Amino acid sequence: MIPIKRRQFMRYAVGALVMPVSRIVRADPAANEPGLVELGIEAGESRVDGDSWAGWLYTYNSQLPGPVLEARSGDTVRIRLLNRLGEATNLHFHGLHVPPTGAADNGFLMVPPGEVSNYEFRIPANHPAGTFWYHPHVHESTARQVSRGLAGAILIRGDLDAVPAVAGAPEYILVLQDLDLDSRGYPREPNMMERVTGREGNLVTLSGTFNPTIAIAAGGWVRLRLINASASRFYRLKVEEHAMAQIASDGGPLPSPQYLDELLLAPGERAEVMVEGTRTPGAYRVLNLPYNRGGMGMMGAFRGTEVLASLVYDGNADRRIALPERLFPFDALPQPSRRRSFVLGQGMGMGMGMMGGTNFSINGRTYNPNRVDTQARLGDVEEWEFVNPSMMDHPMHIHTNSFQVIDASGGVQTAWKDVALVRAGSRVRVRMKFSDYAGRTFYHCHILDHEDLGMMGILEIQG
Ligand code: C2O
Ligand code: CU
Ligand code: CU
């Protein structure tokens, strides 16, 4: 069993591989007392045998991806993390609105090899339902740990799950992971140029399966929960001959379904889409269309079309359930009391010439764990502008509080986000309210090599 190389897997025709789908349907939630979700997670190194590939990876509980953490708003989550890796690790709960301090979503907490850490936090009663994820957050090692396999889905159940068309649809959790394995199945270490561009691998798996089959009933819906858990790879997704009805974004439900032909998912981003089986029964490819995220084409930031999965008709739906035109109310945040600007940069490095150096910075400074870069007040609304004069896209992520993106005309985009794609040569404004939780938290580029190379800052929310 050897990993399939990119050149080979791009050639797969539809129907060439029919994969079992069991691994990407949701895991059984553990039997817990009501209101409490408990999970033991062991980070370690394991050999993972996929259906058509095998590799030595970093895993949670020997699985790729890690176990699904499923909770309802109001639940308490308790996680015992045992670190069996040869290096420090920790857990970040990406997108959850929980404290950034103590035993909660604390990115300063490190778990040395062989040690245990107990995480505990409560999902607020008014937390939006949606798709979130967990992954390590160890500055300078995050890209390596995530690209070797460490990631898992978090599902918060709530009102969105009760919408009839959604509730009645089979659910697929698609954790998009980008692995880079050599011919013996060992992870390959990128060179500095690849890190500057943002590493991309040679094996994309969807919840651990290469080119899985997604079964759909003719006349019925499927619900896809998409999580870009790749270190740097972007996904410009398209389902052949099918529209996608997006019902949720990073931070939960949209006010109404958005019908899309394609969907761009930058690292860290999530989307929930509904697909309806309205075509002639058969097999249709789920494609990753070409995307150029800047840098220099020859360095691998540009790639061609890839086949990610197959949507295969299987049976007929008993009846058609319409997706409602409206989902849930959306409240735009009020005008900000403060505006800030963050200029994304590449500092001077070791003669990288046109690539502009190997240090990444925000407002001219590379990450320093002992420095607070931005101080804000609990309860305030602020507007942040990310300015990207560089030649590469930077998907900027903010911990703890989701934000609203302001479009060029000053209007508010009706979606809660925690990653905003700031394309090369452009600027993006986001508005957020610092609710509930004081403490130090992070903002950074979610091309994880860029975060590791310094494009991260510390935000202190003062209570
Ligand atoms: Cu998913 Cu600080 O990131
Ligand atoms: Cu995060
Ligand atoms: Cu970046």
Side-chain angles (χ1 to χ4, degrees):
M1 287 246 176
I2 56 160
I4 291 167
K5 285 290 166 35
R6 181 183 301 166
R7 229 181 280 112
Q8 281 168 276
F9 77 66
M10 282 173 55
R11 247 189 267 121
Y12 275 107
V14 100
L17 277 178
V18 179
M19 291 295 179
V21 293
S22 54
R23 297 185 56 187
I24 56 170
V25 189
R26 77 191 172 85
D28 278 339
N32 282 310
E33 356 172 334
L36 177 67
V37 176
E38 277 189 298
L39 189 63
I41 296 185
E42 198 174 301
E45 239 173 309
S46 329
R47 183 187 160 92
V48 176
D49 286 287
D51 298 284
S52 54
W53 63 277
W56 292 95
L57 302 176
Y58 282 8
T59 53
Y60 292 129
N61 296 355
S62 307
Q63 292 165 228
L64 184 82
V68 176
L69 172 60
E70 192 175 341
R72 303 191 66 88
S73 18
D75 283 356
T76 293
V77 175
R78 260 187 220 149
I79 297 173
R80 179 181 190 273
L81 173 68
L82 166 60
N83 181 9
R84 285 199 184 283
L85 294 169
E87 58 183 294
T89 192
N90 63 7
L91 293 174
H92 165 50
F93 306 98
H94 181 130
L96 290 188
H97 180 58
V98 297
T101 49
D105 185 28
N106 185 346
F108 292 99
L109 196 150
M110 293 295 154
V111 188
E115 295 197 9
V116 167
S117 187
N118 290 293
Y119 290 87
E120 180 166 338
F121 51 86
R122 182 168 175 269
I123 313 281
N126 62 355
H127 199 289
T131 304
F132 305 91
W133 62 299
Y134 61 93
H135 64 80
H137 216 277
V138 180
H139 181 59
E140 295 181 333
S141 308
T142 303
R144 186 179 66 252
Q145 294 190 9
V146 169
S147 68
R148 287 179 176 220
L150 294 184
I154 301 176
L155 314 185
I156 305 295
R157 300 266 175 209
D159 44 13
L160 182 59
D161 301 86
V163 172
V166 178
E171 176 179 67
Y172 293 86
I173 303 163
L174 301 172
V175 181
L176 284 83
Q177 289 176 288
D178 178 16
L179 309 170
D180 198 12
L181 303 178
D182 69 18
S183 57
R184 297 166 309 142
Y186 288 97
R188 216 178 53 79
E189 268 310 303
N191 60 36
M192 186 47 94
M193 295 258 237
E194 292 169 303
R195 296 184 63 203
V196 165
T197 314
R199 67 186 72 192
E200 293 197 17
N202 58 8
L203 175 64
V204 173
T205 59
L206 284 71
S207 291
T209 305
F210 169 74
N211 193 12
T213 293
I214 297 165
I216 188 169
W221 293 98
V222 287
R223 175 189 191 178
L224 310 181
R225 293 188 185 250
L226 300 156
I227 302 173
N228 186 346
S230 304
S232 315
R233 203 182 200 82
F234 284 47
Y235 298 91
R236 187 180 149 213
L237 299 162
K238 179 178 175 64
V239 184
E240 282 182 323
E241 294 184 36
H242 291 72
M244 292 177 274
Q246 186 178 359
I247 55 170
S249 180
D250 294 344
L254 298 180
S256 55
Q258 298 296 307
Y259 290 85
L260 308 168
D261 267 334
E262 53 176 82
L263 170 74
L264 183 66
L265 215 56
E269 286 188 301
R270 289 89 62 213
E272 292 187 35
V273 301
M274 301 286 292
V275 177
E276 194 175 17
T278 53
R279 310 300 295 189
T280 311
Y284 298 85
R285 296 176 301 178
V286 179
L287 300 171
N288 185 14
L289 298 175
Y291 185 76
N292 185 353
R293 57 185 179 82
M296 296 166 81
M298 64 185 162
M299 298 187 74
F302 178 83
R303 47 153 191 78
T305 298
E306 299 171 331
V307 178
L308 295 178
S310 307
L311 182 74
V312 177
Y313 279 68
D314 182 20
N316 291 289
D318 319 333
R319 64 199 171 98
R320 183 176 186 276
I321 311 176
L323 201 55
E325 268 170 53
R326 313 225 128 267
L327 291 168
F328 301 99
F330 178 89
D331 295 315
L333 286 169
Q335 287 298 317
S337 57
R338 175 153 194 176
R339 293 187 153 82
R340 303 178 197 263
S341 162
F342 297 87
V343 180
L344 311 174
Q346 245 176 290
M348 279 309 155
M350 314 172 301
M352 295 291 292
M354 287 183 67
M355 288 307 294
T358 59
N359 288 327
F360 285 80
S361 61
I362 300 175
N363 286 342
R365 306 201 286 197
T366 62
Y367 176 70
N368 178 342
N370 302 312
R371 183 187 67 219
V372 169
D373 298 280
T374 305
Q375 279 182 321
R377 280 204 322 268
L378 192 63
D380 277 5
V381 174
E382 292 198 3
E383 191 170 289
W384 289 12
E385 184 173 50
F386 293 109
V387 182
N388 180 4
S390 82
M391 293 165 65
M392 263 185 274
D393 293 3
H394 296 297
M396 296 304 294
H397 169 51
I398 306 174
H399 286 210
T400 314
N401 295 286
S402 296
F403 52 72
Q404 297 174 358
V405 177
I406 311 298
D407 58 31
S409 58
V412 174
Q413 293 177 12
T414 53
W416 286 101
K417 297 279 299 158
D418 53 60
V419 178
L421 176 58
V422 191
R423 292 178 199 253
S426 77
R427 44 182 78 211
V428 170
R429 279 185 290 156
V430 305
R431 203 175 281 174
M432 76 206 117
K433 181 174 182 182
F434 302 111
S435 312
D436 309 309
Y437 308 121
R440 290 182 185 186
T441 191
F442 302 93
Y443 51 95
H444 59 89
C445 179
H446 221 288
I447 288 179
L448 295 174
D449 286 295
H450 295 174
E451 182 265 289
D452 284 336
L453 293 168
M455 194 177 276
M456 176 155 72
I458 293 176
L459 162 69
E460 183 174 54
I461 303 166
Q462 296 174 314

